[in-house]
Amino acid sequence: MKFALAGNPNSGKTTLFNALTGSTAHVGNWPGVTVDKKEGVYKKLSEKIDIVDLPGIYSLSPYSPEEVVSRNFLLNEKPDLIINIIDATNLERNLYLTTQLLELDTPIVIALNMIDSVEKNGDAINALELEEKLGAPVIEISALKQRGIHKLMERAYQEAKKSRVGESVFEGTKYQNLFFEIKKLYENEGVDNICFHTVKMFEGDQIEKEKYPDIACVADKIKDSIDTGDFEGDFEGIVADLRYKKIIKDYATAYKRSKPKEAMTRSDKIDKVLTHRVFAIPMFLLIMFAVFHLTFSEDFLYLGAIGIIPKGSFSLPVIGEDAIPSPGVLLYNCIEELTTLIGNALYSSLPKGAWYTSLLVDGLFSGLSSVLSFIPQIMVLFLFLTILEDSGYMARVAFIMDRAGRKFGLSGRSFMPLIMCFGCAVPGIMATRTLENEAERRRTVMLTPFFSCGAKLPIWAAFGGVFAQAFSVINAEAVVYGMYILGIAVAIIAAMILNKTLVKGDMPPFIMELPAYHAPQFKNLVLHLWDKLKHYLARAATVIAGSVVVIWFLTSFNFSWQMVDDPSDSIIGNIGKFISFIFVPLGFGMGENGWKFVVAAFTGLIAKEMVVASIGTFSGMDGGTALETDGSELLGTPMAALMLGIGGVIGGLDVSIPAMLSFLAFNLLSVPCMAAVASANAELGDKKSLIIAIIFWLATSYTMSLVIFWVGAFFVWNWWAALITVLGIAAILITLAALSAKGLLKTRKIKKETKAGKSEECVKEGL
Ligand code: GDP
Ligand code: MG
């Protein structure tokens, strides 16, 4: 048997689905998390039950991808039963969907979820009364506390064996006769779900009219003949009104409040502060800074810097000197100690000078450990971001950003997939499917790389570490935080430019329901982090390890297949030196070692972790910064070597901060990894759009890096640096203008369906 889970967003579908099937699907706080349906099995009844988790919906109208997915599933695949899950704390609103599901012939049970919250408020629901009035079983459950779940399934199992005929809200209203007349038209057609179809035809639903054009014709005539009063022919409005009236009159009376509904809930009060017109954005920046401070700061709460811990108090392994590290750094230090031990053991047990020692130590160990060392910090950061998401704050961020970004062409709706990109761009790009507006969707896909993903984090952390060590003016957390904020800022500017040039198109208003704040679920956090960790380790063991071996090989041999001592004589060294002139204007292509950065940036196309892994491998193999500095044993960890490598690399220039910042910006803003490019290709739909997107990413990253390097250089060197910057930017703008004049970014026609259902031709520029 097959049961479908249907309900509003945030009603707890995924939580119930996980509880039923033992699965670990992501419980999210915003639409778009479950665009596609998910399937699992419930095994605790005498028969196995397939459970399908449908996307969250408010109605079965044809206006959003979620609604269409759910509707098609319910009508065409005919589950044996629908479990309609309801957030009982919002009974009235949730019953709106219920009135629509009741129109189907499919048996249905109603799961009154979050009954724990209802009880906590001191309220109660008369489930029996509700059951009588709805004409379908009503079972109180708590998906979260796993209460009433088996009872729900037993009841559902009984119910699924019965047959059911759909019921509408029309009975006893003044539209009853009209309804019956339309219904008769279907009776001759021999379709099932007649009640549902009749209601849809009454509403003038587009999908329905296309499917039954003959009936639509007759129905339109019947509808024309009646007086709709204030509704002025808005039949959809009439039905909505009937539904609400019935809910308020018949169903909502089952909810017994212990005290009158408070005008302001706790969430409202918190929102008064966190979504304040003026303070919302500073507050967001502050919260994010706190997160990065907790993850990357060597000096927690600046206890050392402000002198609470006096100078010379202590110098300890793992902890550090005269300061207490943040939790993220503490974990990192532990891992660093561990890698030193492993590295030493590995190095001393292998014969010196053998090619496989080089492969294992300089290649695999240096490359992989430079990526893996950051796992604790990545996990700590994700923990904080997940807490922010799960508590409901991230949904507010979308709301705040809508208010701030709308003027620039970035709506809150596109912000939600973008926030997902902080984890990984692939699901983020896929989530853009929830955006109805095509132009907005394409724009959003093009912005995804700017939201720094988890795989880029090792780059920021490694360089942040170098900055902190080499130039005590900047600390690590500021570098990492800066990269995230830079990404968001560039995204806003880029949205504005895209909105005016490549992907024009207006933005529909953003309506979003803000979930109530609640404490994050421990189990949920653990599952989520475990998922990330698994994913990360799997990548390290496959793609990254494989690529590191290739990089090691290309760095160890020259074109005549002989092993070389100096990496710059190697295959990759020669190629790198050949192409690095392109990056000389950006600073990091300069000097003797510039090619290493260039190659590292290129390997980032495979996976962004490769940027650090490649530099780690180069450092491991470079005589000057090798691990075996004193000949017998490793002096430091690969990370230390990596830092030395980075810190000492920009040859010829005594100042490397601008070049390094430019390198970071380039990696942040440029073409994302292959997996993300493939998803972007799938979502953009055609090769030309993808090519434009790639050019756009390259142009953005190149320009930003150029600006950063030369503005930085200006502070460090001369005024003429500023002049070069201006000329460089002008050159890029002229190239872009020339490209668009040549018709590369031509106009093309897109057929657009309007809401009213009439199809019209409209011309859109660009993509
Ligand atoms: P979906 O959008 O319908 O898939 O809903 P989710 O499963 O993602 O849940 C939305 C939020 O409601 C999550 O934060 C859950 O932890 C919370 N939630 C789900 N079920 C319950 C419940 O029975 N009681 C309470 N108090 N919270 C719940
Ligand atoms: Mg869900």
Side-chain angles (χ1 to χ4, degrees):
M1 275 198 194
K2 184 176 271 184
F3 292 2
L5 279 183
N8 286 184
N10 280 318
S11 55
K13 278 183 315 307
T14 307
T15 312
L16 179 60
F17 178 80
N18 289 350
L20 289 173
T21 62
S23 129
T24 57
H26 180 47
V27 180
N29 248 329
W30 52 60
V33 172
T34 325
V35 186
D36 278 328
K37 48 192 192 323
K38 272 193 296 285
E39 305 206 17
V41 184
Y42 185 71
K43 297 182 186 136
K44 293 184 194 149
L45 290 171
S46 51
E47 184 179 341
K48 278 189 181 160
I49 309 284
D50 290 324
I51 309 277
V52 183
D53 183 22
L54 295 174
I57 46 173
Y58 295 109
S59 86
L60 293 174
S61 55
Y63 297 138
S64 76
E66 287 97 337
E67 286 169 357
V68 176
V69 167
S70 303
R71 173 174 166 153
N72 288 344
F73 182 83
L74 293 175
L75 287 178
N76 304 337
E77 305 201 18
K78 301 215 172 56
D80 296 290
L81 176 123
I82 300 169
I83 298 178
N84 174 208
I85 178 163
I86 282 182
D87 168 1
T89 60
N90 275 311
L91 189 63
E92 281 167 33
R93 202 192 51 220
N94 279 252
L95 283 171
Y96 187 72
L97 176 66
T98 312
T99 60
Q100 303 181 52
L101 297 173
L102 286 169
E103 286 160 6
L104 296 164
D105 292 343
T106 318
I108 179 170
V109 295
I110 287 125
L112 276 183
N113 190 30
M114 314 214 186
I115 207 71
D116 55 316
S117 295
V118 173
E119 285 165 2
K120 213 165 125 201
N121 297 340
D123 299 346
I125 296 180
N126 188 338
L128 274 180
E129 180 189 337
L130 202 55
E131 181 163 334
E132 246 160 52
K133 286 185 170 158
L134 289 167
V138 174
I139 291 105
E140 296 170 288
I141 66 162
S142 166
L144 194 67
K145 307 256 151 83
Q146 311 228 354
R147 255 173 61 188
I149 289 179
H150 191 64
K151 189 169 153 213
L152 170 73
M153 290 305 287
E154 279 177 337
R155 211 37 211 284
Y157 188 57
Q158 287 169 15
E159 204 65 18
K161 293 181 193 152
K162 300 183 194 159
S163 69
R164 186 175 179 279
V165 183
E167 273 170 42
S168 81
V169 290
F170 280 88
E171 271 99 78
T173 68
K174 71 172 188 177
Y175 298 98
Q176 185 176 345
N177 290 338
L178 181 57
F179 178 79
F180 284 130
E181 272 182 69
I182 300 177
K183 195 168 175 185
K184 273 209 201 84
L185 302 173
Y186 280 99
E187 273 159 9
N188 308 325
E189 291 278 323
V191 289
D192 41 32
N193 290 315
I194 287 189
C195 182
F196 176 82
H197 287 296
T198 308
V199 176
K200 288 293 152 213
M201 191 56 86
F202 185 96
E203 287 177 335
D205 179 280
Q206 191 51 35
I207 299 181
E208 189 68 20
K209 283 169 96 170
E210 275 166 19
K211 195 155 179 215
Y212 302 101
D214 297 343
I215 298 181
C217 232
V218 187
D220 278 346
K221 286 209 190 81
I222 306 176
K223 279 156 68 180
D224 281 345
S225 69
I226 68 152
D227 173 26
T228 50
D230 287 346
F231 285 99
E232 294 175 1
D234 174 10
F235 284 88
E236 229 184 316
I238 294 177
V239 179
D241 187 57
L242 292 182
R243 293 190 200 286
Y244 272 119
K245 283 201 176 120
K246 181 141 187 113
I247 290 169
I248 292 171
K249 188 167 139 279
D250 287 353
Y251 305 150
T253 49
Y255 198 107
K256 305 279 179 262
R257 285 181 202 288
S258 62
K259 47 186 183 287
K261 209 172 180 176
E262 267 182 61
M264 237 173 80
T265 61
R266 202 179 44 142
S267 286
D268 293 338
K269 284 178 200 150
I270 303 177
D271 271 340
K272 266 201 118 157
V273 184
L274 288 183
T275 61
H276 188 271
R277 283 220 157 260
V278 181
F279 302 123
I281 293 207
M283 213 94 72
F284 166 68
L285 294 177
L286 205 71
I287 290 176
M288 292 305 271
F289 186 78
V291 166
F292 288 103
H293 181 73
L294 283 168
T295 316
F296 296 102
S297 180
E298 306 251 336
D299 190 357
F300 181 62
L301 293 178
Y302 305 108
L303 293 177
I306 57 177
I308 290 190
I309 303 174
K311 291 258 165 305
S313 301
F314 56 81
S315 171
L316 300 165
V318 179
I319 304 277
E321 212 173 295
D322 301 336
I324 301 193
S326 65
V329 172
L330 211 59
L331 281 172
Y332 171 81
N333 290 347
C334 297
I335 294 284
E336 197 175 24
E337 295 286 316
L338 195 70
T339 28
T340 313
L341 283 178
I342 297 173
N344 273 322
L346 193 66
Y347 188 67
S348 53
S349 63
L350 290 167
K352 310 280 169 293
W355 66 269
Y356 54 87
T357 308
S358 170
L359 171 62
L360 285 176
V361 178
D362 303 335
L364 273 176
F365 179 69
S366 300
L368 278 185
S369 65
S370 52
V371 173
L372 295 179
S373 333
F374 292 107
I375 282 191
Q377 277 171 314
I378 292 176
M379 288 301 130
V380 172
L381 181 66
F382 278 144
L383 174 73
F384 288 126
L385 292 182
T386 313
I387 290 176
L388 288 182
E389 186 192 317
D390 206 25
S391 64
Y393 181 66
M394 280 302 189
R396 267 83 185 169
V397 173
F399 170 73
I400 298 165
M401 289 300 170
D402 186 72
R403 218 163 46 191
R406 177 161 286 274
K407 295 184 231 35
F408 308 105
L410 190 65
S411 80
R413 209 187 352 252
S414 33
F415 227 85
M416 292 186 290
L418 290 174
I419 290 174
M420 288 177 84
C421 293
F422 279 147
C424 172
V426 173
I429 291 173
M430 290 203 301
T432 59
R433 259 180 241 171
T434 47
L435 305 181
E436 275 170 78
N437 183 293
E438 188 60 18
E440 195 179 13
R441 204 169 77 86
R442 283 162 180 274
R443 244 178 356 235
T444 310
V445 170
M446 292 174 82
L447 300 179
T448 47
F450 306 153
F451 282 69
S452 172
C453 72
K456 291 180 186 171
L457 198 64
I459 317 177
W460 322 146
F463 280 76
V466 175
F467 285 165
Q469 252 179 20
F471 320 97
S472 37
V473 279
I474 312 179
N475 48 27
E477 72 209 85
V479 173
V480 185
Y481 177 66
M483 292 320 290
Y484 277 78
I485 300 300
L486 175 71
I488 299 178
V490 170
I492 291 176
I493 298 170
M496 191 162 66
I497 296 173
L498 285 176
N499 205 16
K500 295 228 157 31
T501 57
L502 293 176
V503 203
K504 289 183 191 172
D506 48 41
M507 241 183 325
F510 172 56
I511 305 162
M512 170 183 192
E513 179 198 337
L514 296 178
Y517 286 104
H518 59 92
Q521 258 356 116
F522 179 72
K523 193 174 141 211
N524 197 0
L525 291 182
V526 173
L527 282 178
H528 192 54
L529 287 185
W530 172 234
D531 218 47
K532 288 265 176 220
L533 185 65
K534 256 193 333 209
H535 184 67
Y536 207 83
L537 291 177
R539 275 162 69 90
T542 54
V543 182
I544 299 177
S547 311
V548 161
V549 172
V550 174
I551 296 289
W552 170 83
F553 179 80
L554 295 175
T555 322
S556 302
F557 290 88
N558 61 16
F559 282 112
S560 32
W561 308 117
Q562 276 155 344
M563 230 171 155
V564 292
D565 279 342
D566 183 356
S568 62
D569 297 332
S570 66
I571 297 178
I572 220 167
N574 278 304
I575 298 176
K577 279 187 285 187
F578 181 69
I579 54 173
S580 57
F581 74 93
I582 307 172
F583 300 92
V584 168
L586 307 189
F588 63 82
M590 286 182 189
E592 225 179 287
N593 288 306
W595 66 267
K596 293 181 183 170
F597 289 98
V598 174
V599 171
F602 270 94
T603 58
L605 292 177
I606 304 168
K608 290 293 165 184
E609 292 95 334
M610 281 306 295
V611 175
V612 163
S614 297
I615 296 180
T617 309
F618 297 146
S619 313
M621 294 162 73
D622 192 344
T625 54
L627 303 173
E628 41 170 326
T629 326
D630 85 346
S632 60
E633 94 167 356
L634 302 175
L635 280 187
T637 60
M639 254 345 276
L642 170 64
M643 289 185 176
L644 240 131
I646 301 168
V649 150
I650 308 274
L653 299 178
D654 49 353
V655 175
S656 31
I657 293 186
M660 287 192 199
L661 287 177
S662 144
F663 178 69
L664 294 187
F666 188 81
N667 281 297
L668 172 69
L669 305 171
S670 200
V671 184
C673 71
M674 280 183 323
V677 171
S679 317
N681 182 30
E683 295 304 320
L684 288 171
D686 59 311
K687 283 277 167 304
K688 201 175 108 185
S689 305
L690 184 72
I691 291 171
I692 294 179
I694 289 177
I695 294 177
F696 172 72
W697 292 327
L698 287 173
T700 311
S701 52
Y702 202 91
T703 317
M704 282 309 294
S705 294
L706 195 71
V707 172
I708 288 175
F709 177 64
W710 287 103
V711 168
F714 173 68
F715 280 109
V716 182
W717 297 318
N718 296 310
W719 58 267
W720 51 259
L723 190 70
I724 297 181
T725 314
V726 174
L727 290 179
I729 296 171
I732 287 170
L733 290 180
I734 291 167
T735 320
L736 273 182
L739 280 178
S740 59
K742 269 187 125 184
L744 180 69
L745 320 165
K746 246 189 279 151
T747 12
R748 78 159 211 243
K749 284 188 173 177
I750 295 176
K751 201 172 159 201
K752 182 177 143 195
E753 295 280 323
T754 62
K755 233 184 183 182
K758 294 171 198 92
S759 99
E760 73 178 31
E761 293 279 279
C762 80
V763 179
K764 267 203 243 171
E765 299 262 335
L767 294 179

